[in-house]
Amino acid sequence: MVHARCAPRNEALLIWPGRRKDGKKHPNQLFTSKTSRAMSSAATTPPSVDKVDGFSRKSVRKAKQKRSQSSSQFRSQGKPIELTPLPLLKDVSAQEQPELFLKKLQQCCAVFDFMDTLSDLKMKEYKRSTLNELVDYVTVSRGYLTEQAYPEVVKMVSYNIFRTLPPSDSNEFDPEEDEPTLEASWPHLQLVYEFFIRFLESQEFQPSIAKKYIDQKFVLQLLELFDSEDPRERDYLKTVLHRIYGKFLGLRAFIRKQINNIFLRFVYETEHFNGVAELLEILGSIINGFALPLKAEHKQFLVKVLIPLHTVRSLSLFHAQLAYCIVQFLEKDPALTEPVIRGLLKFWPKTCSQKEVMFLGELEEILDVIEPTQFVKIQEPLFKQISKCVSSPHFQVAERALYYWNNEYIMSLIEENSNVILPIMFTSLYRISKEHWNPAIVALVYNVLKAFMEMNSTLFDELTSTYKSDRQREKKKEKEREELWKRLEDLELKRSLQSDGIIPT
Amino acid sequence: TKLDDSKMAGAEGDDSLYPIAVLIDELRNEDVQLRLNSIKKLSTIALALGVERTRTELLPFLTDTIYDEDEVLLALAEQLGSFTVLVGGPEFVHNLLPPLESLATVEETVVRDKAVESLRKISQEHSPVDLEVHFVPLVKRLASGDWFTSRTSACGLFSVCYPRVSSTVKAEIRQHFRTLCSDDTPMVRRAAASKLGEFAKVLELDYVKSDIIPLFTALASDEQDSVRLLAVEAGVSIATLLPQEDLEALVMPTLRQAAEDKSWRVRYMVADKFSELQKAVGPEITKTDLVPAFQNLLKDCEAEVRAAAANKVKVFCENLPEDSRETIIMTHILPCVKELVSDTNQHVKSALASVIMGLSTILGKDNTVEHLLPLFLVQLKDECPEVRLNIISNLDCVNEVIGIRQLSQSLLPAIVELAEDAKWRVRLAIIEYMPLLAGQLGVEFFDEKLNSLCMAWLIDHVFAIREAATCNLMKLVEKFGAEWAQNTIVPKVLGMANDSNYLHRMTTLFCINALSGVCGQEITTKHMLPVVLKMSTDQVANVRFNVARCLQKIGPVLDSSALQAEVKPVLEKLATDQDMDVKYFALEAISVLALA
C-alpha cells in the first residue's frame, strides 16, 4: 500500500516534511486509525445471519481488486506502436550524441496504453530502458543541452504527462477511507518525471532559453495534474513545480494566481482536489521567501484564500500544511494576527468535533508566536470561543482547549490579562466543574480554576459571589427577549388581520 | 396603500414601544443563533418600525454592518428578496439595493447566489426608469469589481434588466457581458458561461449572431474544461434561438468539437444534454451529425460518458425523424447497444437496462423478437443485480409489444436469484414488482414458480422484507381473487401461527391484518378469526397485544354476532392482562369496535 504521506520520493524538498517543532502528532493520527475502524465495523455485523437467512450464500463479497487508472486519452485502441531501436548514447561519438539524444526524445513521445497489459510489451520495455538511459544521460553528461534540445524535452514531457485525468472510480472518493487509484502507466511516467527533474536541476539548464517552452500554458496543465489520485505522481509534481517556481521568475506571479484559483474553486465550487496538501507545501516555502513589507496581494491571499480553506470538509488531509502556511505569515508580519484569528473564529466548526480539535491545535500554534500587543487585540472574542470549547460535551474538544493551560507562554499571556479573561471564562468553568460528564475534564477544570484563583484571587472571589445573581440577571434578560418577540408577533398578526379586513381599522 | 400603512402605524402609536435600538441589539447579539433568529424575523421588525423607519434606519444599519457569519448573511439575503412591501412598495424598492449589493460580493457562494436570486426577483419590481437609474448602475459596479466574487454575481443580473432598458444601455450591458466572458479568472468565466444561454434568450436575434456566437465559440474552446462544459449547455439554448439555416455555420462546428473534446467531462455534458440538443437542431442535423456523434459517445473510452449516453438511447431513438427512424436504429444505434450489453462497467449496463426495454415499442414486434429479445435475455443474466432489476422493472414495455411469455423462461431464474440476493434492498425491489409480474405471467405460472418465493419472504430476517411480503400478498389477492387466496396462501399463512419463532407468529397476524379486507367476511370469520383468537393466549406479550390490534383491524369485516360472541370475551380477557401494552391495545380495540 502506498500512502500519500509515505510516498517513495518524499524528498526533503522544503522545510516541510520535517516535523513540527513541538513534535505533535499529525492531525490524521489523532483519530481512529483505518484498521481499528474496519475492525469495529466487522464487530457490529451480526455473525450468525446465515442461520436465519437461507439466502445468504451469495453474501460473500468479492474481494476488492486493486484499482488502477488509465489516462483517459486512448480514444481508440490504435495499431501497435513500432519504434526502431537506436544505439546507446554511450556507444556513439560525442559529436553524434546530441543528435541521437534528440531522436531518443522523439521516440519517447510515443505513449502506450497500460490498461491493456498485453499490448506492445516489447516496445514498452524498449521505451522504459530508453527513458532510463535518458535519465542517466542528463544527470552525468556535459554539453548535451543544445538549444534545439529544449523544445524536444518539453515536448516529450508534455506528451507523456499531460493528459485528462480519468473520472474517479468511486463517485464519493474519500481520500481518508479509500485506497487511491494508482496510475497504470507509472513505469514510464515515473521515469519521465525523474528525467524532467534532472533536466531542470542540471547545471547546464538555462531558464532564459527554457522559458520559451515552459510557459504559462505549460504551468497551467502541470497544475491540473495535481488533482491526480496517485500520491506518487503528486509527489513528483510538487518537486517539479517547486523547481519551476525557483528558476522562472517570470512565472511566479502566474503560478501563485493559478494556485489561488484552484483553491477558490476547491473551497467554493467543488470541494474536490487531490493535491491541496502538496500545493500548500510549496506555498509554505514560497511564503517563507516573501519580502517585507508584505504585498497587498499576499495579504489578500492569506485572508481570502487560506482562511476559507479551513471550511472544507476534508480539512484533515491538508491541515498540517495549512497551519504551517498561516504561522509562516504571522511570523513574517505579526499585524496579521488579528484578521487571521477573527477569520478562524468566523469559520469555527459548529458540528464537526474533529475539525474543532484541529482548529484548537492551529490556534495554539498561532498563540505560540503571538506578540502580547496582538494578543490584547483579540483576547475577548478568542476567549469567548475557548470558553465555549471548554464546555463542549465532546471531551476531546474540551480537553484540547484545556491543554492551553499547560502551555507556559499562553499562561503568561492569560496571567497578564486575567482581569479580562477570567470573567469570560469563569461561568463556563464554574458550570463544568459541577456538570461535565467526563471526570478527566472536571479534574482539568479544577486545575484551571485553581490557577485562576492563584492569579487573581480578588476577582475570583468576586465572580464566585456574583455567580448566582449573574445567572438570574441572564435569565431575566432572556425572558424579556421572549416577551419582546411575542409582542412583535402579536403586532404582526394584528396587522395582517387588519389588512385582510377581519378587524376594522 | 402606502398612506394607509403609515396611518396604521401612527394610529397604533406603538413605534415608541419598539425603539430601533432594541431591535438592532437583537441583530447584534453575541449568540449567532439569536442573531439568526432575529434576521429570520426581519420582516416582523420592519413591520414594527413601519416603512419610513425601515427605509431610513433599518436598511442603512443592515448595509453598514454586513460582516457576519455566512448563515446569518444567507438568511438576510433571502429576506430582502421579499421586502418590497415593507419598504413602501415598488416606488421604494431601490432602497433594497445597497445591502443586496454588499451581499452579492461576499465570498461564500451560497450567500452570493441567494443575493443574486433576490436581486433578480426585485428587479422585476423596478419601473423602467428606476431600473436604469438604480439597478443597472449596480450591475455595472459589480461587473467591474476588483475581486472575482462581485463579477461572478454580475453575470446573473444582465438578463433580467436587458429587456427593459433603452438601446444605449443595452449596448453597455452587452459590452460588460463580453468583458466578463474573457475575464482572466476562471470562476468568472464559468459564471458567464453558465448564464450565456439565458442571456442569449433576451437578446435580439441579430445580436445573438453578432455577439453571442463569438462568445460561445471562445468559451467552448477555453483552456479549462470546467468552462468548456458549461458552454455546451449554452450551445443548446443558443441553437433553439437560431433559424435552421444558420445552425450549420454558427453552432455546429463548436458542438461537434465539444462532442470530441479531449476532456471526458465535456463529452459527458454533451451526452447528458443530448436529447435537448437533438430537439434544438432538428431532424436534418440529427441525421447528418448527431447520429455519428451519439455512436461515438456510446463507444467512449470513459464509462461515465457511455453511461450518460446509454441513458439517452430510448429518447434519442424516439425523437429520430419518423421516415428514417427504423433504419437509423437498426444500422447505427443497435450495434452500439449490443456492445454496451456486455460493457465492463456495471453503471453503463445498468443505465442501458433502465431504457433498453423502451426500444421495443419503437421497433415493433418482429424486430423486438429478433434483435432485442436476445439482449434482454443477456441482461437478465447479468452479474450485477441492478441491471437485472432495471430490466424487470420495465417489463411492461415489452409486455405490450410481444407479451411476457417469450421471456418467462429466462425471467424465472433471474427473479429467483434477485429474490435471494444478499442485499435486502434488492430483495425489497423485486418484491415490489411481484404483483405486476404476477399479472403479466398469469396465475398458473405464478402458482407453479413464484408462489413459494412469496411465502419465503414472510420469514425473511429483515423486517422491511416481511412487511413488504405481507403487502405483496394483499396485492396478489386483489389480482387473483379470494378463492385463490383461500386455496393457496391462507393455509400457509395460518400455519405459521404455530411456529416456534414469535416473529413468525406475529407475521401471521400482520398478514391477516392485510388480507382480511380483500378476502372478505366468510374467509375471515371461518378461517382467520379462530386462529387469531387462539393466539390470544400466546406466552409472548408482543404477540398478545398484536392479537388485540389485529382484532381491532379485522373487526369491521366481521358480523356483529361474531364480534359479540367471540371477539368481545377475548378482548375483555386481554384487557386484564398483566402486560400494560396488551391492556392498552385491548382497551383501544374495545372502544374502537364499540364493544364496551
Side-chain angles (χ1 to χ4, degrees):
Chain A
M1 169 191 135
V2 184
H3 204 264
R5 274 165 294 277
C6 49
R9 188 194 160 100
N10 212 338
E11 167 176 345
L13 153 65
L14 323 163
I15 31 320
W16 192 243
R19 277 320 313 135
R20 293 164 50 163
K21 55 186 172 194
D22 51 9
K24 276 179 211 124
K25 280 207 267 181
H26 189 280
N28 284 335
Q29 297 160 345
L30 286 173
F31 308 108
T32 342
S33 73
K34 204 165 190 166
T35 36
S36 70
R37 202 158 17 195
M39 274 161 60
S40 69
S41 79
T44 53
T45 317
S48 59
V49 172
D50 296 22
K51 285 175 194 155
V52 193
D53 184 10
F55 305 140
S56 47
R57 62 193 154 83
K58 281 182 206 70
S59 65
V60 190
R61 286 185 60 191
K62 278 180 203 158
K64 220 174 174 184
Q65 283 173 349
K66 195 163 181 181
R67 291 172 296 130
S68 60
Q69 65 188 9
S70 73
S71 325
S72 190
Q73 60 186 342
F74 300 98
R75 299 294 313 263
S76 54
Q77 264 59 40
K79 297 154 254 160
I81 299 168
E82 275 305 324
L83 301 175
T84 321
L86 296 169
L88 292 179
L89 283 158
K90 66 174 164 58
D91 293 345
V92 301
S93 68
Q95 292 92 325
E96 287 171 290
Q97 280 184 8
E99 178 71 27
L100 185 58
F101 178 60
L102 292 185
K103 276 191 182 150
K104 293 202 173 222
L105 283 172
Q106 278 154 8
Q107 281 197 331
C108 287
C109 285
V111 179
F112 293 90
D113 179 7
F114 273 81
M115 288 309 274
D116 186 348
T117 45
L118 295 175
S119 68
D120 304 311
L121 282 179
K122 243 176 147 176
M123 286 300 122
K124 279 178 188 165
E125 175 51 30
Y126 173 71
K127 180 174 167 183
R128 200 192 57 77
S129 64
T130 308
L131 282 169
N132 259 327
E133 191 193 1
L134 290 177
V135 171
D136 290 342
Y137 186 68
V138 293
T139 317
V140 297
S141 304
R142 293 283 170 268
Y144 73 96
L145 254 185
T146 59
E147 227 174 302
Q148 296 97 302
Y150 283 87
E152 293 303 323
V153 168
V154 175
K155 187 174 142 201
M156 189 278 275
V157 171
S158 304
Y159 269 58
N160 279 281
I161 67 171
F162 293 151
R163 62 211 193 275
T164 311
L165 295 171
S168 184
D169 237 12
S170 49
N171 276 342
E172 298 280 300
F173 175 68
D174 173 1
E176 283 218 287
E177 285 281 343
D178 302 333
E179 287 287 307
T181 309
L182 297 179
E183 175 57 50
S185 60
W186 192 242
H188 286 173
L189 208 53
Q190 176 180 23
L191 293 170
V192 174
Y193 278 118
E194 196 68 54
F195 166 79
F196 191 42
I197 290 169
R198 305 278 173 104
F199 165 76
L200 290 170
E201 288 172 350
S202 139
Q203 285 179 348
E204 295 180 10
F205 178 75
Q206 287 177 281
S208 54
I209 303 173
K211 72 179 181 191
K212 271 184 268 179
Y213 313 105
I214 297 177
D215 53 6
Q216 296 193 349
K217 193 165 181 247
F218 184 91
V219 169
L220 205 58
Q221 295 181 81
L222 198 67
L223 283 167
E224 276 176 21
L225 290 175
F226 274 82
D227 195 21
S228 167
E229 259 184 48
D230 193 329
R232 303 169 300 183
E233 176 165 26
R234 295 202 303 273
D235 211 55
Y236 271 108
L237 284 164
K238 190 171 72 186
T239 312
V240 169
L241 186 66
H242 194 250
R243 296 290 174 271
I244 292 178
Y245 191 88
K247 293 189 190 271
F248 297 83
L249 303 190
L251 286 171
R252 288 186 174 183
F254 180 79
I255 291 174
R256 289 197 305 268
K257 197 164 126 198
Q258 293 310 320
I259 294 181
N260 241 307
N261 288 342
I262 289 175
F263 284 169
L264 288 167
R265 183 172 180 221
F266 173 64
V267 174
Y268 293 113
E269 294 182 14
T270 60
E271 286 220 358
H272 175 91
F273 193 83
N274 290 315
V276 176
E278 284 80 2
L279 290 175
L280 282 169
E281 211 171 298
I282 296 170
L283 281 165
S285 81
I286 293 179
I287 296 165
N288 210 16
F290 281 162
L292 287 171
L294 288 176
K295 284 193 214 161
E297 174 213 327
H298 301 325
K299 291 185 191 170
Q300 190 181 51
F301 172 66
L302 170 68
V303 176
K304 296 210 169 192
V305 184
L306 287 186
I307 298 289
L309 265 177
H310 288 84
T311 60
V312 175
R313 202 172 31 178
S314 53
L315 176 68
S316 64
L317 295 172
F318 54 84
H319 181 250
Q321 289 84 345
L322 178 58
Y324 180 82
C325 287
I326 301 274
V327 173
Q328 287 289 301
F329 260 115
L330 299 185
E331 284 190 311
K332 285 259 159 194
D333 183 356
L336 292 167
T337 311
E338 190 184 348
V340 164
I341 292 186
R342 283 193 187 277
L344 288 178
L345 294 177
K346 181 179 172 189
F347 294 130
W348 201 270
K350 294 197 175 57
T351 53
C352 181
S353 309
Q354 278 90 335
K355 264 174 91 174
E356 226 175 330
V357 173
M358 286 183 245
F359 270 56
L360 285 165
E362 180 171 350
L363 211 48
E364 184 167 1
E365 283 183 54
I366 293 172
L367 290 173
D368 272 336
V369 300
I370 201 169
E371 292 186 358
T373 48
Q374 297 296 324
F375 180 79
V376 177
K377 287 187 196 163
I378 44 79
Q379 56 182 356
E380 278 192 55
L382 177 62
F383 276 85
K384 277 177 186 158
Q385 182 57 57
I386 293 176
S387 144
K388 279 185 206 159
C389 294
V390 161
S391 44
S392 166
H394 195 301
F395 81 98
Q396 284 179 333
V397 175
E399 185 182 60
R400 187 67 191 82
L402 288 164
Y403 279 166
Y404 283 14
W405 274 263
N406 295 340
N407 183 314
E408 275 177 35
Y409 183 59
I410 298 181
M411 268 306 265
S412 72
L413 291 167
I414 295 177
E415 192 159 3
E416 273 166 48
N417 301 284
S418 64
N419 55 332
V420 179
I421 295 171
L422 181 50
I424 298 173
M425 294 296 299
F426 186 78
T427 318
S428 299
L429 292 172
Y430 191 83
R431 201 167 40 78
I432 314 158
S433 70
K434 306 234 179 291
E435 288 176 5
H436 205 280
W437 62 272
N438 185 306
I441 297 297
V442 174
L444 282 170
V445 166
Y446 271 119
N447 285 338
V448 171
L449 281 171
K450 202 169 137 241
F452 272 128
M453 204 154 36
E454 284 161 7
M455 251 176 228
N456 194 339
S457 59
T458 338
L459 181 58
F460 192 88
D461 292 343
E462 205 177 295
L463 288 166
T464 320
S465 61
T466 55
Y467 179 80
K468 263 203 178 129
S469 57
D470 282 350
R471 293 294 76 67
Q472 271 162 359
R473 219 184 13 255
E474 267 173 32
K475 271 189 189 146
K476 197 171 155 239
K477 224 176 146 188
E478 184 56 35
K479 222 171 160 193
E480 280 171 9
R481 163 177 305 114
E482 272 173 31
E483 272 165 25
L484 168 75
W485 281 109
K486 215 170 155 278
R487 286 212 304 276
L488 284 174
E489 271 154 28
D490 287 347
L491 178 72
E492 187 176 27
L493 191 69
K494 211 155 61 179
R495 292 216 174 160
S496 69
L497 290 177
Q498 278 169 358
S499 63
D500 293 344
I502 299 170
I503 301 178
T505 27
Chain B
T1 52
K2 191 195 115 217
L3 228 133
D4 285 349
D5 271 357
S6 58
K7 228 189 337 192
M8 235 163 57
E12 299 274 337
D14 43 21
D15 281 14
S16 53
L17 269 177
Y18 310 104
I20 187 146
V22 177
L23 300 172
I24 283 177
D25 238 28
E26 284 290 288
L27 293 172
R28 268 197 196 126
N29 197 299
E30 243 169 54
D31 186 336
V32 186
Q33 194 52 49
L34 288 177
R35 284 206 303 276
L36 191 59
N37 291 347
S38 331
I39 283 285
K40 284 187 173 158
K41 290 178 191 157
L42 202 59
S43 60
T44 311
I45 296 179
L47 207 58
L49 291 172
V51 293
E52 179 79 36
R53 298 187 69 191
T54 298
R55 287 201 301 270
T56 55
E57 295 175 55
L58 182 61
L59 288 178
F61 165 76
L62 291 173
T63 314
D64 290 343
T65 53
I66 292 180
Y67 174 83
D68 204 331
E69 304 238 356
D70 293 326
E71 221 178 333
V72 177
L73 298 183
L74 174 67
L76 178 60
E78 184 166 14
Q79 291 269 311
L80 291 176
S82 40
F83 235 60
T84 310
V85 185
L86 296 164
V87 292
E91 198 180 327
F92 298 98
V93 65
H94 62 264
N95 284 283
L96 297 173
L97 297 180
L100 282 171
E101 180 172 353
S102 307
L103 289 169
T105 63
V106 302
E107 320 292 325
E108 176 52 53
T109 327
V110 184
V111 176
R112 240 183 311 127
D113 287 351
K114 191 52 90 180
V116 170
E117 196 184 312
S118 288
L119 280 168
R120 285 167 70 108
K121 200 165 151 195
I122 64 168
S123 73
Q124 304 307 319
E125 286 156 348
H126 281 71
S127 68
V129 176
D130 279 350
L131 206 60
E132 285 197 21
V133 178
H134 300 288
F135 199 90
V136 173
L138 170 147
V139 179
K140 287 189 203 159
R141 277 194 303 277
L142 288 176
S144 40
D146 282 339
W147 189 240
F148 79 96
T149 51
S150 73
R151 302 200 297 276
T152 308
S153 292
C155 294
L157 297 173
F158 295 112
S159 66
V160 289
C161 39
Y162 189 85
R164 294 166 65 213
V165 294
S166 67
S167 56
T168 346
V169 179
K170 279 184 174 176
E172 287 171 19
I173 291 179
R174 289 197 303 274
Q175 180 53 46
H176 275 288
F177 195 84
R178 262 202 300 278
T179 314
L180 293 182
C181 283
S182 52
D183 198 280
D184 72 341
T185 327
M187 281 77 79
V188 178
R189 293 202 303 277
R190 279 196 286 277
S194 70
K195 300 294 177 192
L196 183 64
E198 174 190 296
F199 189 55
K201 281 185 190 147
V202 298
L203 249 60
E204 297 79 357
L205 185 58
D206 282 346
Y207 291 122
V208 172
K209 291 186 199 170
S210 65
D211 284 37
I212 297 291
I213 296 296
L215 296 177
F216 166 60
T217 317
L219 290 170
S221 41
D222 196 276
E223 64 202 1
Q224 305 242 335
D225 62 357
S226 54
V227 178
R228 296 201 299 275
L229 69 89
L230 290 166
V232 172
E233 207 172 350
V236 175
S237 303
I238 295 167
T240 53
L241 300 171
L242 294 173
Q244 191 70 34
E245 64 270 20
D246 290 328
L247 285 177
E248 180 48 48
L250 297 181
V251 291
M252 282 320 289
T254 310
L255 286 174
R256 250 176 242 136
Q257 169 198 317
E260 289 174 2
D261 197 281
K262 69 179 193 300
S263 162
W264 63 270
R265 288 185 183 82
V266 179
R267 302 197 303 275
Y268 171 89
M269 202 62 175
V270 175
D272 196 49
K273 299 283 163 219
F274 218 78
S275 325
E276 290 89 335
L277 184 60
Q278 188 183 7
K279 281 193 192 108
V281 299
E284 279 317 305
I285 294 182
T286 294
K287 272 193 253 180
T288 54
D289 275 274
L290 295 197
V291 171
F294 194 58
Q295 283 174 288
N296 282 335
L297 292 171
L298 289 172
K299 288 187 218 152
D300 198 276
C301 64
E302 289 302 343
E304 261 73 3
V305 180
R306 292 199 301 278
N311 261 321
K312 305 287 172 191
V313 163
K314 184 195 157 200
V315 186
F316 180 74
C317 293
E318 235 166 29
N319 294 334
L320 285 170
E322 215 164 318
D323 55 344
S324 48
R325 185 188 295 154
E326 195 175 321
T327 337
I328 293 177
I329 298 177
M330 297 307 293
T331 51
H332 299 290
I333 307 297
L334 204 59
C336 303
V337 168
K338 277 181 184 158
E339 274 176 49
L340 289 183
V341 163
S342 45
D343 199 277
T344 48
N345 183 293
Q346 68 173 53
H347 298 292
V348 176
K349 288 186 292 189
S350 124
L352 182 71
S354 66
V355 299
I356 190 174
M357 309 290 268
L359 291 181
S360 47
T361 16
I362 304 171
L363 288 177
K365 192 173 173 188
D366 294 341
N367 281 328
T368 300
V369 173
E370 193 184 338
H371 298 284
L372 294 177
L373 198 57
L375 303 181
F376 302 157
L377 296 179
V378 171
Q379 291 218 299
L380 271 177
K381 292 189 192 103
D382 198 277
E383 57 172 9
C384 163
E386 209 181 318
V387 175
R388 285 174 267 145
L389 208 55
N390 281 347
I391 290 289
I392 291 178
S393 57
N394 287 300
L395 278 176
D396 46 340
C397 316
V398 195
N399 195 32
E400 288 161 21
V401 183
I402 57 168
I404 207 165
R405 293 256 159 200
Q406 298 258 20
L407 277 173
S408 56
Q409 281 318 309
S410 312
L411 211 44
L412 192 67
I415 293 171
V416 172
E417 206 164 316
L418 287 170
E420 300 178 355
D421 197 278
K423 294 196 189 77
W424 69 267
R425 284 174 203 281
V426 174
R427 302 202 293 277
L428 185 65
I430 188 74
I431 293 178
E432 275 159 11
Y433 291 111
M434 234 351 120
L436 181 80
L437 287 171
Q440 287 167 359
L441 292 165
V443 66
E444 286 141 49
F445 187 89
F446 183 86
D447 280 344
E448 195 181 321
K449 317 272 187 190
L450 299 178
N451 195 10
S452 54
L453 281 180
C454 291
M455 302 315 289
W457 283 319
L458 289 175
I459 53 167
D460 198 284
H461 68 280
V462 176
F463 177 75
I465 300 297
R466 297 198 298 275
E467 192 186 27
T470 312
C471 179
N472 172 45
L473 288 187
M474 184 184 75
K475 289 184 184 149
L476 290 174
V477 176
E478 279 170 357
K479 265 208 165 82
F480 295 150
E483 197 185 324
W484 174 81
Q486 194 185 342
N487 295 331
T488 52
I489 59 171
V490 172
K492 287 184 193 162
V493 166
L494 297 181
M496 281 164 60
N498 300 318
D499 200 290
S500 60
N501 185 334
Y502 86 99
L503 290 171
H504 296 174
R505 298 201 295 279
M506 294 223 293
T507 306
T508 302
L509 294 172
F510 296 144
C511 287
I512 292 175
N513 287 343
L515 293 176
S516 63
V518 283
C519 286
Q521 198 184 60
E522 202 198 326
I523 297 178
T524 307
T525 318
K526 247 173 138 176
H527 301 278
M528 296 177 177
L529 183 61
V531 175
V532 179
L533 296 174
K534 200 175 148 225
M535 290 169 87
S536 69
T537 56
D538 199 289
Q539 58 186 11
V540 178
N542 295 41
V543 177
R544 293 199 302 280
F545 79 64
N546 272 301
V547 166
R549 298 174 75 181
C550 178
L551 289 172
Q552 178 184 333
K553 180 99 193 187
I554 66 174
V557 187
L558 304 169
D559 64 15
S560 60
S561 64
L563 275 174
Q564 290 295 335
E566 301 183 64
V567 175
K568 193 178 169 186
V570 169
L571 282 176
E572 277 168 352
K573 187 165 167 270
L574 287 173
T576 62
D577 199 282
Q578 286 174 332
D579 188 280
M580 58 182 283
D581 293 318
V582 179
K583 254 191 236 176
Y584 172 84
F585 285 111
L587 288 170
E588 190 184 72
I590 290 173
S591 107
V592 170
L593 296 173
L595 292 174

